[in-house]
């Protein structure tokens, strides 16, 4: 019969995971109670909180009952991978929810507005709890840990998340020029490879590769930097340069709760540059990483 681990019950990780479960539960409960989650933005926020709550509850129960050895995934890699994704999900919900459901709601009922403010606050607290969990779980210098607990592993999670946001903003804007289709190819190739690395590490399948995993990581990081460097230059040039497409800001931009076409193009440009910096940092860390136990 499973026995609750006494080591884990005295660990700071227990308290931050309990806090994450509590904060996410309170957040989506408040939102569902007042019914303020309509539309795609509201559905996304509700998904972020529910996904984070369910995953944290599973991790917490496995740790408390000492079932790590029976888990079908690498327990050195899965909890911190999930916590990083949950932190990014809750961070995005903490930005989107007040922007869409608090902005311009001065005329709403006082009680409903209070529920929305409270939900926004607890969402921010959940984000902080997940960030604290990632900080406590990550590998320290000289420590042998799972790859996902190292800086390159955490960067892989951020890279895939940013790529997913880019896909959301893309719509069909890449169809206007062949150069923009190249940018789409860059986003897709890098996302697939980063996601594959995460799956291999969490599933403990790195030994299946016919070549050393460390060399693959370094070669891929270099390739991703080169690809994203081209996309960082090409995307804004072929969207905003008057010699090419010269997209202009429309009068409707900034008037509603959704981003206009021009704002989405700007967002993709900024996120492309951000992912380029993430891959550059990934390359630097991968080159410096001497020993990793995956």
């Amino acid at each position: 019969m499973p026995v609750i681990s006494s080591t884990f019950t005295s660990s700071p990780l227990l308290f931050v995971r309990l806090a994450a479960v509590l904060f996410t539960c309170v957040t989506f409960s408040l939102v569902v109670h007042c019914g303020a989650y309509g539309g795609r933005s509201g559905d996304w926020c509700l998904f972020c909180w529910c996904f984070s709550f369910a995953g944290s509850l599973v991790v917490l129960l496995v740790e408390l009952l000492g079932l790590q050895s029976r888990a079908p995934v690498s327990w050195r890699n899965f909890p911190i991978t999930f916590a990083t994704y949950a932190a990014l999900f809750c961070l995005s919900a903490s930005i989107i929810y007040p922007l869409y459901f608090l902005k311009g709601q001065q005329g709403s009922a006082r009680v409903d507005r209070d529920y929305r403010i409270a939900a926004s606050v607890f969402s921010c607290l959940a984000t902080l709890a997940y960030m604290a969990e990632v900080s406590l779980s990550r590998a320290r210098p000289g420590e042998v840990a799972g790859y996902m607990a190292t800086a390159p592993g955490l960067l892989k999670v951020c890279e895939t998340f940013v790529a997913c946001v880019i896909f959301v903003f893309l719509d069909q804007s890449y169809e206007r020029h062949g150069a923009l289709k190249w940018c789409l190819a860059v986003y897709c190739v890098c996302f697939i490879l980063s996601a594959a690395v995460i799956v291999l590490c969490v599933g403990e399948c790195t030994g299946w590769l016919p070549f050393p995993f460390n060399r693959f990581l370094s070669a891929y990081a270099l390739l991703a930097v080169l690809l994203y460097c081209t996309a960082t230059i090409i995307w804004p040039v072929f969207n905003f340069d008057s010699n090419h497409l010269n997209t202009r800001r429309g009068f409707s931009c900034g008037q509603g709760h959704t981003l206009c076409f021009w704002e989405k193009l700007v967002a993709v440009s900024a996120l492309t540059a951000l992912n380029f910096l993430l891959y550059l940092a990934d390359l630097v860390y991968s080159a410096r990483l001497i020993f990793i136990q995956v």
Side-chain angles (χ1 to χ4, degrees), residues 79-187:
I80 190 169
T81 302
F82 172 80
T84 308
Y85 273 120
L88 294 171
F89 281 145
C90 288
L91 176 61
S92 67
S94 299
I95 297 172
I96 293 172
Y97 189 78
L99 182 64
Y100 281 79
F101 296 95
L102 277 178
K103 181 181 177 182
Q105 298 293 326
Q106 287 78 5
S108 302
R110 177 64 182 271
V111 176
D112 287 348
R113 184 169 175 80
D114 289 343
Y115 276 120
R116 296 179 185 190
I117 293 174
S120 301
V121 171
F122 276 101
S123 181
C124 293
L125 292 175
T127 302
L128 294 176
Y130 283 116
M131 288 181 175
E133 181 179 348
V134 173
S135 178
L136 290 171
S137 303
R138 68 183 180 86
R140 301 298 188 272
E143 179 183 356
V144 176
Y147 176 76
M148 298 307 301
T150 64
L154 297 176
L155 286 170
K156 292 288 189 304
V157 176
C158 296
E159 291 157 6
T160 55
F161 182 82
V162 172
C164 288
V165 179
I166 290 176
F167 293 143
V168 172
F169 287 140
L170 274 179
D171 290 334
Q172 295 181 341
S173 55
Y174 58 87
E175 296 182 349
R176 300 181 299 156
H177 198 283
L180 300 180
K181 292 180 181 179
W182 163 258
C183 294
L184 176 65
V186 170
Y187 303 144

Side-chain angles (χ1 to χ4, degrees), residues 13-279:
L13 275 175
L14 170 66
F15 300 105
V16 296
R17 284 173 179 163
L18 281 173
V21 170
L22 175 63
F23 293 150
T24 51
C25 181
V26 172
T27 303
F28 73 73
S29 298
L30 288 169
V31 171
V32 171
H33 179 72
C34 67
Y37 60 94
R40 294 174 60 184
S41 301
D43 292 341
W44 167 254
C45 293
L46 192 63
F47 164 78
C48 291
W49 298 320
C50 292
F51 170 82
S52 301
F53 167 77
S56 293
L57 188 60
V58 170
V59 170
L60 191 61
L61 290 175
V62 171
E63 292 278 5
L64 286 173
L65 299 176
L67 301 175
Q68 298 93 322
S69 60
R70 300 184 182 182
V73 295
S74 170
W75 208 252
R76 288 175 297 178
N77 290 302
F78 176 76
I80 190 169
T81 302
F82 172 80
T84 308
Y85 273 120
L88 294 171
F89 281 145
C90 288
L91 176 61
S92 67
S94 299
I95 297 172
I96 293 172
Y97 189 78
L99 182 64
Y100 281 79
F101 296 95
L102 277 178
K103 181 181 177 182
Q105 298 293 326
Q106 287 78 5
S108 302
R110 177 64 182 271
V111 176
D112 287 348
R113 184 169 175 80
D114 289 343
Y115 276 120
R116 296 179 185 190
I117 293 174
S120 301
V121 171
F122 276 101
S123 181
C124 293
L125 292 175
T127 302
L128 294 176
Y130 283 116
M131 288 181 175
E133 181 179 348
V134 173
S135 178
L136 290 171
S137 303
R138 68 183 180 86
R140 301 298 188 272
E143 179 183 356
V144 176
Y147 176 76
M148 298 307 301
T150 64
L154 297 176
L155 286 170
K156 292 288 189 304
V157 176
C158 296
E159 291 157 6
T160 55
F161 182 82
V162 172
C164 288
V165 179
I166 290 176
F167 293 143
V168 172
F169 287 140
L170 274 179
D171 290 334
Q172 295 181 341
S173 55
Y174 58 87
E175 296 182 349
R176 300 181 299 156
H177 198 283
L180 300 180
K181 292 180 181 179
W182 163 258
C183 294
L184 176 65
V186 170
Y187 303 144
C188 291
V189 169
C190 294
F191 169 78
I192 292 172
L193 290 177
S194 292
V197 170
I198 295 174
V199 171
L200 287 172
C201 292
V202 173
E204 292 188 316
C205 303
T206 55
W208 295 0
L209 297 176
F211 37 77
F213 187 57
N214 287 358
R215 292 184 181 179
F216 167 73
L217 292 174
S218 299
Y220 160 59
L222 177 59
L223 174 65
V225 167
L226 296 176
L227 291 176
Y228 257 93
C229 181
T230 62
T232 303
I233 297 171
I234 291 173
W235 183 267
V237 167
F238 281 85
N239 275 303
F240 305 110
D241 191 341
S242 58
N243 293 326
H244 298 93
L245 295 177
N246 190 25
T247 305
R248 297 183 181 274
R249 191 174 190 270
F251 293 104
S252 61
C253 289
Q255 301 299 319
H257 289 294
T258 60
L259 296 179
C260 68
F261 181 72
W262 183 86
E263 289 171 333
K264 289 181 179 180
L265 295 179
V266 173
V268 172
S269 298
L271 291 170
T272 302
L274 174 60
N275 237 6
F276 169 68
L277 295 177
L278 290 175
Y279 277 109

